[in-house]
Amino acid sequence: MVNVFYSFMGELRTLIDRATCTPTHAFIKRLDEHGKLLRCYTQNIDSLEKRVGLETAFVQDEDAVDSTDSASKRRKQTMDKKFTRAVQLHGDLDTLICTICHTKCPFSHKLALEFREGTPPPCPRCKEIEVIRGIVGKRSQTTGVLRPDIVLYNEMHPQGELIGSLNEYDLKRRPDLLIVIGTSLKIPGIKRMIREMSRCVHDSAQRTQRAGAGKVIFINRDEPPRGWDDVFDYFIEGDADHALL
């Protein structure tokens, strides 16, 4: 099964390299450009949101912060909760991470070819440490392998606490529209997030009393399962690209 997983990830990485952004990605970016996007939360791991111009990093690079005081830089990094425009709930296939030392490296074309062979590549950092230990006469240790830096089923997101704080921050900003696109509504964490957001959006309708405010729209090829009637105000059946044109 491990070989199948790595082979599939290698093939997927190759397909992502060839992929192009869709009209749906362009629509989300237009919302952002017009100041209408509070935030995008995505289950996709292809990083096309980043390619279309939505920031997916959680903190701004220090070099990009106009300040000579390092302490001030750190404060700005942690305080700007509007910086991240798209939250990747399941990680992405841009990087790989070591199973032992947690060193990260780019998921390069060369590594994608190794993945496609079904063999987990060894971690270069662990190999380097192993060589050094051998030179100084220390016993060998377990060497890690590289795996995609994504969140698999039943795994916790390494940035889960930060994502939770962003979600809480967004709810306090009182959004008045929620668009849910192309999800099975089966993953517990995603279901809980959508329900919390929908309650917040519907509450905004009572506060603002504006026509059209407080609506939740679900765009999907399949109808929502039972138990979602009180969550979605509108269901648009079909392809998202066609629905949003």
Side-chain angles (χ1 to χ4, degrees):
M1 291 298 294
V2 173
N3 291 349
V4 173
F5 170 76
Y6 273 84
S7 179
F8 174 72
M9 288 291 106
E11 292 284 353
L12 185 57
R13 174 69 260 183
T14 302
L15 290 174
I16 290 173
D17 287 338
R18 300 171 183 169
T20 57
C21 297
T22 67
T24 299
H25 293 102
F27 169 77
I28 298 172
K29 179 59 179 175
R30 284 199 302 273
L31 289 179
D32 188 46
E33 291 173 341
H34 288 84
K36 301 297 184 181
L37 180 68
L38 197 66
R39 198 168 332 257
C40 169
Y41 290 84
T42 179
Q43 295 176 260
N44 297 330
I45 59 174
D46 51 27
S47 285
L48 291 180
E49 293 83 11
K50 182 191 300 185
R51 201 180 299 180
V52 82
L54 295 173
E55 181 59 64
T56 58
F58 289 114
V59 293
Q60 189 173 0
D61 290 338
E62 286 192 1
D63 293 341
V65 178
D66 186 16
S67 175
T68 57
D69 178 36
S70 60
S72 175
K73 290 178 181 179
R74 287 192 294 270
R75 286 195 299 272
K76 288 184 179 181
Q77 286 179 342
T78 56
M79 289 173 58
D80 190 1
K81 291 185 177 180
K82 295 181 180 180
F83 177 70
T84 306
R85 308 309 301 137
V87 175
Q88 297 170 308
L89 297 171
H90 297 309
D92 61 64
L93 280 181
D94 288 345
T95 56
L96 301 173
I97 187 169
C98 174
T99 56
I100 299 294
C101 71
H102 305 297
T103 295
K104 294 186 179 183
C105 67
F107 198 168
S108 64
H109 176 69
K110 179 181 178 181
L111 286 170
L113 293 177
E114 292 187 43
F115 267 63
R116 290 171 65 178
E117 296 297 323
T119 303
C123 169
R125 176 58 178 163
C126 284
K127 288 178 63 178
E128 179 183 338
I129 293 175
E130 186 66 14
V131 170
I132 295 174
R133 291 182 66 87
I135 292 175
V136 300
K138 293 186 177 182
R139 63 182 179 86
S140 62
Q141 292 182 332
T142 302
T143 300
V145 296
L146 298 176
R147 56 155 280 181
D149 192 18
I150 58 176
V151 181
L152 301 176
Y153 197 73
N154 283 334
E155 287 185 339
M156 298 295 292
H157 198 296
Q159 300 289 344
E161 186 174 340
L162 180 53
I163 292 175
S165 68
L166 290 177
N167 185 32
E168 182 179 357
Y169 175 73
D170 289 343
L171 294 177
K172 291 180 179 179
R173 295 165 71 187
R174 298 181 177 181
D176 59 5
L177 175 66
L178 173 64
I179 305 177
V180 181
I181 303 174
T183 180
S184 64
L185 301 173
K186 292 181 179 179
I187 298 178
I190 303 301
K191 291 165 60 177
R192 183 169 58 253
M193 177 181 287
I194 292 174
R195 289 185 182 277
E196 289 177 351
M197 289 182 174
S198 70
R199 282 196 294 269
C200 181
V201 167
H202 287 145
D203 286 344
S204 73
Q206 300 176 1
R207 289 191 301 267
T208 62
Q209 296 183 345
R210 288 189 293 107
K215 301 301 180 183
V216 180
I217 304 171
F218 182 46
I219 304 173
N220 200 44
R221 291 176 179 174
D222 302 315
E223 293 185 3
R226 291 183 179 179
W228 290 88
D229 291 343
D230 61 337
V231 175
F232 300 122
D233 299 292
Y234 300 103
F235 167 56
I236 302 176
E237 184 176 6
D239 186 85
D241 288 342
H242 294 148
L244 295 171
L245 287 178

